[in-house]
């Protein structure tokens, strides 16, 4: 896929006619040229001719690909050592928030993920062509050299560029070197799902170094395994493991979209028992598809797009319930089970079937039942299990061992493809060891690939090992505070453009209630993760906290983890507690201890760029909020390497989002 539909020097613009320029742009469109797009390009070509009369030695890129966002920037100009990223809104009289976030997102994408843009000044500009006036001059620069978006009308764009070039002129940029710089995007799972759904490949939206190479190898291995199973009429199951944030869900979504495009008759489906993840991804896909249709001038409806998204991403419990009604083989030949370690054991499944479905005597675990459902196919089928290590957070979650036990006891004719390190106490006679099925590099925290190692040592109670890893994490913010208002201020100061921030807390963090954090008040996941900043249901409102059940499998750019006394330090070890009635009760069951530890493991690995941990001070007037309990937690986290937000002057340097540019 071409980086830009049109790339040329300003001097070459005079040698090409409007028709030639339009033809070059249209030749790379993956769909027919719609009237609205033709009108936009014609306007931009004329405006570009006007701009370049005054801008000498400028390189022009039109429709420049921003893979992480699955979009193309209207115009990028390289001139006087500055990268100008320009988005046009034809006929617009106002500068709306969504458009500002869009162009800011383009700038952030280049700054974070485009190697040859890291050290350059980048200026995002929103052009509302019919606005009455322009506001910009004296831009506010973030510490990494990215300007806050400028807002201009059609006539004000040239004035803005000329002024900025006169003040911030730097070494000229080689257009060839800049364009060919390595692009290593790290999308959120929502952005990844949207891009894959639109037809982008995993190579385009993930970094081309260790993480993406691993993802590509995994995809190639599974694709080959499925094709062989299909040819030989064999039933297979593949297990994909990986560290938190390594791209397991991305690998599953990539496989589902690729099989749907190339082999629609297989009806490949992405299945998850994670209700919030399903709701968020479906809503994101439907909303994005609607927006794309509007851009192309085609007709669609929310209902229609909801239906399409629902056929691609399904709740695993609905899949299970359909299989209980009918004994026929499902239409799906390829089923990707996300977070397979969370499937229920036989005790929990039997309890559910008795209470909810009225079926007594049901003796199968969820893995065994799901295998039996796919086993109804007479010829071939494939199951792909995405396995998160150390992320079991619910009572009755069987872990990966139950899948392997079911294969050994009931489905020995299935061939199992297993990564290295997936230990099993039994014996599988029909298995293949496949190193390509383990994802070892974290992609979520593109600023700190070793964050999962740091969190692992912290949750295990090894402060010495944690602080050694912390020394290798230089670009990921790790702060701690006893002031929740200060934490909120920090989150707001850090969040730029389309980046998102939010409050997190354990589902049993009951005694955070005096601080306004009500974990029993359920969020609306689709609204919390997707609603705009001015929506009080949005994560960015910093009002409602998401728990481990809401956010597992998803992520935010900036997080505040509100830590309660349910996971506390006693002596030199962690102790798990549960709040019931009016007091904390010690958790003695080993499985439940693990769930509490894993809850914090999940919550600590949800940030992509940084996090602050809020630990209350407690009060002597409330036995359930003893100061010494919270202080011991605070001290241990400090020992692990968290910096005190109060004593860090640079932590709150960036200007607030509400700052205004001075008028031109």
């Amino acid at each position: 896929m071409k980086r830009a539909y049109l790339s040329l020097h300003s001097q070459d613009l005079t040698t090409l006619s409007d028709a030639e320029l339009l033809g070059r742009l249209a030749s790379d469109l993956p769909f027919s040229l719609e009237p609205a797009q033709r009108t936009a390009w014609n306007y931009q070509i004329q405006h570009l001719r006007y701009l370049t009369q005054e801008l000498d030695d400028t390189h022009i890129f039109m429709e420049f690909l921003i893979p992480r966002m699955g979009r193309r920037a209207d115009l990028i100009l390289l001139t006087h050592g500055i990268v100008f990223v320009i988005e046009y809104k034809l006929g617009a009289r106002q500068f709306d928030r969504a458009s500002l976030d869009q162009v800011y997102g383009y700038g952030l994408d280049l700054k974070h993920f485009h190697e040859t843009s890291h050290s350059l000044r980048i200026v995002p500009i929103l052009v509302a062509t019919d606005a009455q006036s322009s506001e910009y001059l004296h831009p506010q620069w973030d510490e990494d050299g990215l300007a806050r978006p400028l807002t201009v009308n059609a006539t004000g764009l040239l004035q803005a560029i000329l002024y900025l070039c006169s003040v911030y002129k730097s070494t000229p940029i080689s257009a060839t070197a800049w364009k060919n710089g390595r692009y290593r995007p790290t999308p959120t799972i929502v952005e990844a799902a949207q891009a894959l759904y639109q037809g982008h490949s995993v190579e385009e939206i993930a970094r081309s170094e260790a993480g993406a190479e691993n993802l590509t190898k995994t995809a190639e291995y599974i694709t080959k395994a499925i094709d062989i199973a299909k040819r030989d009429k064999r039933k297979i199951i593949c297990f994909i493991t990986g560290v938190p944030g390594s791209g397991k869900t991305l690998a599953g979504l990539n496989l589902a979209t690729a099989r749907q495009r190339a082999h629609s008759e297989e009806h490949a489906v992405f299945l998850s028992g994670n209700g919030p993840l399903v709701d968020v991804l479906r809503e994101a896909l439907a909303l994005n598809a609607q927006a794309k249709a509007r851009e192309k001038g085609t007709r669609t409806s929310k209902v229609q797009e909801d239906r399409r998204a629902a056929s691609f991403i399904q709740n695993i419990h609905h899949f299970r319930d359909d299989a209980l009604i009918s004994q026929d083989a499902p239409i799906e030949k390829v089923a990707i089970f996300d977070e397979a370690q969370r499937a229920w054991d036989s005790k929990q499944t039997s309890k559910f079937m008795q209470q909810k479905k009225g079926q007594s005597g049901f003796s199968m675990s969820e893995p065994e039942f799901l295998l039996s459902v796919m086993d109804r196919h007479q010829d071939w089928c494939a199951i792909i299990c995405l396995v998160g290590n150390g992320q079991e957070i619910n009572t009755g979650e069987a872990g990966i061992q139950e899948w392997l036990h079911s294969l050994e006891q009931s489905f020995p004719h299935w061939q199992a493809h297993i990564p290295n390190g997936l230990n099993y106490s039994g014996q599988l006679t029909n298995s293949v060891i496949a190193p390509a099925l383990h994802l070892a590099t974290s992609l979520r925290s593109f600023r700190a690939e070793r964050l999962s190692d740091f969190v692992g040592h912290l949750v295990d109670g090894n402060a010495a090992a944690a602080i050694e890893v912390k020394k290798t994490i230089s670009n990921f913010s790790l702060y701690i505070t006893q002031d929740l208002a200060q934490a909120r201020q920090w989150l707001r100061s850090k969040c730029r453009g389309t980046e998102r921030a939010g409050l997190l807390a354990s589902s049993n963090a009951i005694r955070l209630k005096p601080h306004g954090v009500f974990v029993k008040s359920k969020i609306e996941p689709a609204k919390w993760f997707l609603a705009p900043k001015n929506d009080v249901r949005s994560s960015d409102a910093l009002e409602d906290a998401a728990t481990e059940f809401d956010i597992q499998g998803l992520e935010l750019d900036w997080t505040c983890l509100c830590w309660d006394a349910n996971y506390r330090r006693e002596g030199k070890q962690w102790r798990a507690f549960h709040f019931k009635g009016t007091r904390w009760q010690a958790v003695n069951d080993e499985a439940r201890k693990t769930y509490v530890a894993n809850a914090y493991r999940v919550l600590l690995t949800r940030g992509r760029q940084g996090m602050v941990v809020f630990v209350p001070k407690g009060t002597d007037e409330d036995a359930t909020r003893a100061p010494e309990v919270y202080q011991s937690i605070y001290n241990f986290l400090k020992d692990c390497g968290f910096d005190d937000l109060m004593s860090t002057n640079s932590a709150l340097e960036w200007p607030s989002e509400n700052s205004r540019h001075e008028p031109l």
Side-chain angles (χ1 to χ4, degrees), residues 271-540:
L271 296 163
S272 177
N274 184 339
L277 177 70
V278 172
D279 291 345
V280 171
L281 291 183
R282 279 184 178 178
E283 181 73 3
L285 294 182
L287 291 173
N288 195 55
Q290 271 192 298
K292 290 295 181 183
R294 285 195 297 270
E295 291 176 7
K296 297 176 184 178
T298 56
R299 297 186 63 180
T300 187
S301 68
K302 182 63 162 47
V303 173
Q304 181 180 348
E305 296 303 336
D306 281 339
R307 190 178 299 117
R308 285 187 61 218
S311 67
F312 170 53
I313 297 175
Q314 295 181 30
N315 191 305
I316 196 171
H317 302 308
H318 298 163
F319 179 85
R320 175 202 63 203
D321 293 347
D322 288 342
L324 287 169
I325 297 171
S326 171
Q327 293 302 309
D328 295 335
I331 190 173
E332 297 86 3
K333 302 282 281 191
V334 177
I336 298 104
F337 292 138
D338 190 32
E339 296 178 4
Q341 80 283 353
R342 298 182 66 182
W344 290 337
D345 58 22
S346 57
K347 180 179 179 181
Q348 185 69 16
T349 308
S350 176
K351 179 180 178 181
F352 174 83
M353 291 298 182
Q354 176 67 37
Q355 293 179 348
K356 303 295 184 180
K357 303 297 178 183
Q359 294 193 15
S360 58
F362 193 93
S363 59
M364 286 190 285
S365 66
E366 196 167 27
E368 184 178 5
F369 178 67
L370 293 171
L371 278 161
S372 73
V373 171
M374 292 299 287
D375 196 52
R376 295 172 188 175
H377 287 290
Q378 295 301 307
D379 48 2
W380 76 277
C381 64
I383 290 176
I384 314 299
C385 288
L386 312 177
V387 183
N389 295 326
Q391 294 188 41
E392 296 84 359
I393 57 177
N394 267 318
T395 301
E397 290 183 354
I400 200 60
Q401 295 297 314
E402 184 59 38
W403 286 92
L404 300 174
H405 178 74
S406 298
L407 286 168
E408 179 187 1
Q409 297 297 316
S410 305
F411 304 96
H413 56 287
W414 280 63
Q415 184 183 69
H417 296 253
I418 301 173
N420 288 333
L422 194 64
N423 297 319
Y424 177 53
S425 56
Q427 185 174 3
L428 291 175
T429 57
N430 191 8
S431 62
V432 178
I433 301 299
L437 295 181
H438 180 69
L439 303 171
T441 303
S442 177
L443 294 177
R444 174 180 295 121
S445 302
F446 61 88
R447 289 186 170 181
E449 292 182 351
R450 296 198 63 194
L451 179 65
S452 60
D453 295 335
F454 171 79
V455 169
H457 293 314
L458 186 157
V459 173
D460 291 341
N462 190 338
I467 202 164
E468 286 302 310
V469 175
K470 168 63 165 56
K471 293 175 183 177
T472 70
I473 301 175
S474 58
N475 294 319
F476 187 92
S477 302
L478 288 169
Y479 289 112
I480 190 169
T481 182
Q482 292 179 300
D483 185 340
L484 185 55
Q486 186 186 57
R488 286 189 171 106
Q489 180 188 357
W490 181 79
L491 291 177
R492 292 188 176 108
S493 73
K494 288 294 186 184
C495 217
R496 300 186 286 177
T498 53
E499 294 176 351
R500 295 191 75 93
L503 303 179
L504 309 179
S506 162
S507 58
N508 195 240
I510 305 299
R511 298 311 297 143
L512 293 174
K513 188 175 180 180
H515 301 277
V517 179
F518 302 94
V519 294
K520 293 302 181 184
S521 177
K522 300 300 181 183
I523 67 168
E524 299 177 66
K527 300 297 183 185
W528 198 82
F529 282 99
L530 301 173
K533 299 178 187 296
N534 60 357
D535 190 322
V536 296
R537 299 168 296 180
S538 164
S539 68
D540 289 313

Side-chain angles (χ1 to χ4, degrees), residues 570-590:
E570 288 191 357
K572 294 184 178 181
Q573 64 181 1
W574 287 109
R575 289 287 306 278
F577 282 77
H578 178 80
F579 193 83
K580 187 174 182 180
T582 61
R583 63 189 181 93
W584 291 106
Q585 297 180 356
V587 175
N588 297 315
D589 180 76
E590 291 301 321

Side-chain angles (χ1 to χ4, degrees), residues 169-232:
K169 181 178 180 179
S170 184
T171 305
I173 302 168
S174 166
T176 301
W178 183 82
K179 180 183 67 172
N180 294 333
R182 287 189 302 173
Y183 200 98
R184 301 180 291 178
T186 307
T188 67
I189 196 60
V190 171
E191 292 167 340
Q194 291 172 332
L196 291 170
Y197 198 58
Q198 294 168 29
H200 291 273
S201 67
V202 72
E203 293 86 356
E204 291 170 338
I205 63 171
R207 288 182 293 179
S208 58
E209 51 185 54
E213 288 174 8
N214 204 177
L215 278 170
T216 302
K217 290 178 182 177
T218 301
E220 290 173 348
Y221 181 91
I222 293 179
T223 297
K224 184 177 180 180
I226 292 176
D227 290 341
I228 292 174
K230 192 174 182 178
R231 181 195 68 194
D232 297 344

Side-chain angles (χ1 to χ4, degrees), residues 74-299:
D74 287 339
L75 177 65
I76 290 182
L77 300 178
L78 305 184
T79 186
H80 294 78
I82 304 173
V83 181
F84 291 95
V85 185
I86 300 163
E87 186 69 15
Y88 285 91
K89 298 301 175 184
L90 266 62
R93 297 178 179 274
Q94 304 292 331
F95 303 101
D96 65 278
R97 168 55 58 185
S99 298
L100 279 167
D101 285 345
Q102 179 184 341
V103 72
Y104 203 0
Y106 293 161
L108 284 164
D109 194 87
L110 291 172
K111 178 58 69 174
H112 288 325
F113 308 121
H114 188 217
E115 191 172 58
T116 45
S117 294
H118 291 338
S119 60
L120 300 176
R121 288 190 182 272
I122 300 175
V123 183
I125 303 179
L126 176 62
V127 183
T129 59
D130 293 358
Q132 289 188 349
S133 62
S134 295
E135 285 186 311
Y136 80 95
L137 237 54
H138 309 301
Q140 297 174 1
W141 296 96
D142 292 333
E143 60 185 14
D144 55 5
L146 174 65
R148 296 295 171 109
L150 308 184
T151 55
V152 302
N153 57 22
T155 58
L157 178 60
L158 179 59
Q159 294 173 278
I161 293 174
L162 289 173
Y163 172 78
L164 292 168
C165 288
S166 69
V167 176
Y168 301 104
K169 181 178 180 179
S170 184
T171 305
I173 302 168
S174 166
T176 301
W178 183 82
K179 180 183 67 172
N180 294 333
R182 287 189 302 173
Y183 200 98
R184 301 180 291 178
T186 307
T188 67
I189 196 60
V190 171
E191 292 167 340
Q194 291 172 332
L196 291 170
Y197 198 58
Q198 294 168 29
H200 291 273
S201 67
V202 72
E203 293 86 356
E204 291 170 338
I205 63 171
R207 288 182 293 179
S208 58
E209 51 185 54
E213 288 174 8
N214 204 177
L215 278 170
T216 302
K217 290 178 182 177
T218 301
E220 290 173 348
Y221 181 91
I222 293 179
T223 297
K224 184 177 180 180
I226 292 176
D227 290 341
I228 292 174
K230 192 174 182 178
R231 181 195 68 194
D232 297 344
K233 301 188 183 306
R234 177 187 297 165
K235 296 171 182 176
I236 66 168
I237 182 169
C238 302
F239 296 92
I240 299 178
T241 59
V243 299
S246 59
K248 297 179 292 294
T249 301
L250 175 57
L253 290 168
N254 178 53
L255 178 64
T257 53
R259 300 306 295 190
Q260 280 200 352
R261 285 196 297 270
H263 307 277
S264 58
E265 77 285 354
E266 295 174 0
H267 299 283
V269 64
F270 182 89
L271 296 163
S272 177
N274 184 339
L277 177 70
V278 172
D279 291 345
V280 171
L281 291 183
R282 279 184 178 178
E283 181 73 3
L285 294 182
L287 291 173
N288 195 55
Q290 271 192 298
K292 290 295 181 183
R294 285 195 297 270
E295 291 176 7
K296 297 176 184 178
T298 56
R299 297 186 63 180

